[in-house]
Amino acid sequence: MNDNNGGGPHDAPPRKVGLAVGLLGLGNGFMEPNAGARSTEIQRSTRTSDATLSLGWAGWPIGMFLASTVGGRLLERVGARAVLLAGGLFYFGAFAAIGFAPNIVALGVVLFVVGLGNGLFDVGWTRLSAHHDHQQEQVKGDKAGLVIQVLNGLFSLGSVAAAITGMVVVALGLPLGPHLLAVGLAGLAVLAWSARHLPNPGATEVDVDRRAAAPAHRTQGAPRPRAPRRLRAVAAMSACATLPVGVGYLWSSIYLTRLGASETVATLGVLAFTLAETAVRLSLGMLSRHVAALRDVVRQARVGALVALAGLALVVVPATIPTAIAGFALLAAGMAPIAGLAQREAPHIWPDHKGRATGMVSRYMYTALVAGPVVIGPLSSLLGAKDSPESLRVALGALLLLPAVVLVLAGRLRRA
């Protein structure tokens, strides 16, 4: 099957396409850490415990899961550009309202709408990223390197900018509502500019053989295509890699506050986390053009899992502010390559259903990203006294299982 543009409105130059996809990734990365940097204030303004805050935050992954469940099929019908634009309007628009939620119920509703938009946006963006990576690989060969790591690096760079923004905003004492409103409006501005330069892969992505297939393929009772087991393993691996990342975005600042850090110092946890993630992704993307060993995706995943294990151990064992900040940075550095590798390989694993393959990996990966913060709160409350540093420390320690799973499943990334 050809990885075509699907009848996109423009035949934009590859540089413009790469810039548009990269800016959208940067804008996407700019969202959640801005909310995470204000998590202590959100918890205070909604008067909630750890467990209740997590329940309200569950609106985000629930909406995201529902949207990404149908996102793969939508890709094959209307194309990645259309899916991304529709999702982006809801995602960035609703994000602007988070800071004005008066209570936990309103917060949960707003985050549900954010999640719906985020799920569609991420499915579209992931397909566009893999499409651009594939086209660059076809044109430039090994000299292209791992383009998708650069695009994911721009997502992480957006997270760095968000962490710095959050730290400055908290230090200046600026109000929560106007801060997140400005962030959402910035996302809408990026969406409006990028829309003019995007192709629309997936809109005509139907195999000729399936178009000419027997009518049974079109009958109402025809079985739905089943995803290959290898794809399910890669999707599960991506979820194990992104869930602790979501935890780091939201709970790193809360954990550091519980260890005795001021709110301003606590934002360093998010900053260290996002800086490490960005540095690793951009470095791998650019250096892989010149160093063949860095194009070994299985090795990348396994080394990353080991680094993440060391980072989590550093977060929870010494339980001091400096070691926790360093541990969060190592956790981010280790998990940083995994998402891009899964995104890159998904269309190759299921070439007859590239849209559905992308949708499956996106559903697992991005739902886990925003589900991580939801899991930690109730787990922390179950394990110890309400809002205690020890219970949160044990809950974070439970995440050690996830890099171990990545270590086991990394071999499924290798192409046959």
Side-chain angles (χ1 to χ4, degrees):
M1 184 189 300
N2 291 329
D3 198 7
N4 55 59
N5 283 350
H10 300 282
D11 190 16
R15 284 180 179 271
K16 275 284 180 70
V17 173
L19 179 60
V21 176
L23 281 176
L24 287 168
L26 190 143
N28 191 10
F30 193 64
M31 296 294 117
E32 189 177 4
N34 262 293
R38 307 303 295 268
S39 56
T40 303
E41 189 173 345
I42 291 172
Q43 185 175 33
R44 187 166 56 245
S45 66
T46 53
R47 302 180 183 88
T48 57
S49 65
D50 287 354
T52 308
L53 177 64
S54 289
L55 288 175
W57 214 267
W60 195 327
I62 290 171
M64 207 169 179
F65 178 82
L66 292 175
S68 58
T69 297
V70 300
R73 278 170 282 175
L74 287 175
L75 284 180
E76 294 179 354
R77 293 186 180 185
V78 300
R81 178 181 181 272
V83 171
L84 179 143
L85 292 179
L89 288 173
F90 283 99
Y91 177 26
F92 299 132
F95 188 94
I98 292 175
F100 298 102
N103 53 54
I104 194 63
V105 175
L107 179 65
V109 171
V110 170
L111 290 174
F112 177 73
V113 178
V114 170
L116 286 174
N118 196 180
L120 292 175
F121 180 95
D122 285 335
V123 169
W125 186 82
T126 299
R127 182 69 187 95
L128 285 162
S129 298
H131 172 77
H132 185 62
D133 179 279
H134 179 60
Q135 291 205 325
Q136 292 297 294
E137 185 180 32
Q138 284 185 319
V139 173
K140 299 180 179 179
D142 288 344
K143 291 183 179 179
L146 298 175
V147 174
I148 203 162
Q149 293 290 22
V150 176
L151 295 174
N152 277 278
L154 291 173
F155 173 94
S156 301
L157 188 61
S159 300
V160 172
I164 294 172
T165 300
M167 186 167 61
V168 171
V169 165
V170 168
L172 294 176
L174 298 180
L176 173 66
H179 168 208
L180 298 187
L181 172 64
V183 171
L185 292 177
L188 288 171
V190 170
L191 185 70
W193 182 87
S194 299
R196 299 178 296 163
H197 306 291
L198 295 174
N200 201 30
T204 62
E205 194 173 73
V206 181
D207 196 329
V208 175
D209 292 337
R210 284 193 280 124
R211 284 193 176 196
H217 283 269
R218 301 190 206 104
T219 60
Q220 193 170 6
R224 291 176 58 188
R226 289 182 59 83
R229 294 174 68 179
R230 179 180 163 221
L231 178 63
R232 293 180 183 277
V234 168
M237 183 191 68
S238 71
C240 290
T242 53
L243 190 147
V245 172
V247 171
Y249 285 157
L250 181 69
W251 288 98
S252 59
S253 58
I254 294 176
Y255 181 62
L256 289 167
T257 303
R258 301 274 172 85
L259 292 179
S262 67
E263 288 190 16
T264 302
V265 171
T267 59
L268 289 174
V270 180
L271 180 59
F273 195 89
T274 53
L275 277 172
E277 185 180 63
T278 303
V280 168
R281 285 176 169 173
L282 290 177
S283 297
L284 285 174
M286 291 184 286
L287 292 176
S288 62
R289 300 171 187 171
H290 312 289
V291 183
L294 293 179
R295 294 193 289 272
D296 185 335
V297 296
V298 175
R299 182 183 298 174
Q300 275 192 40
R302 286 175 175 163
V303 171
L306 292 172
V307 172
L309 280 169
L312 270 172
L314 201 56
V315 168
V316 299
V317 176
T320 66
I321 294 171
T323 56
I325 291 173
F328 281 121
L330 282 176
L331 170 62
M335 294 289 91
I338 313 299
L341 300 178
Q343 290 167 338
R344 188 175 193 261
E345 295 305 313
H348 295 284
I349 295 172
W350 203 9
D352 286 344
H353 292 282
K354 292 181 180 179
R356 296 187 190 216
T358 300
M360 173 175 284
V361 169
S362 294
R363 179 167 70 252
Y364 278 59
M365 182 170 63
Y366 290 113
T367 302
L369 181 69
V370 292
V374 178
V375 171
I376 290 299
L379 186 59
S380 173
S381 296
L382 284 172
L383 292 172
K386 178 182 176 182
D387 300 345
S388 73
E390 281 304 311
S391 60
L392 186 52
R393 176 186 174 190
V394 176
L396 292 172
L399 297 178
L400 285 163
L401 176 65
L402 300 177
V405 174
V406 172
L407 198 61
V408 172
L409 294 177
R412 306 309 293 271
L413 286 167
R414 183 173 284 114
R415 295 183 192 177

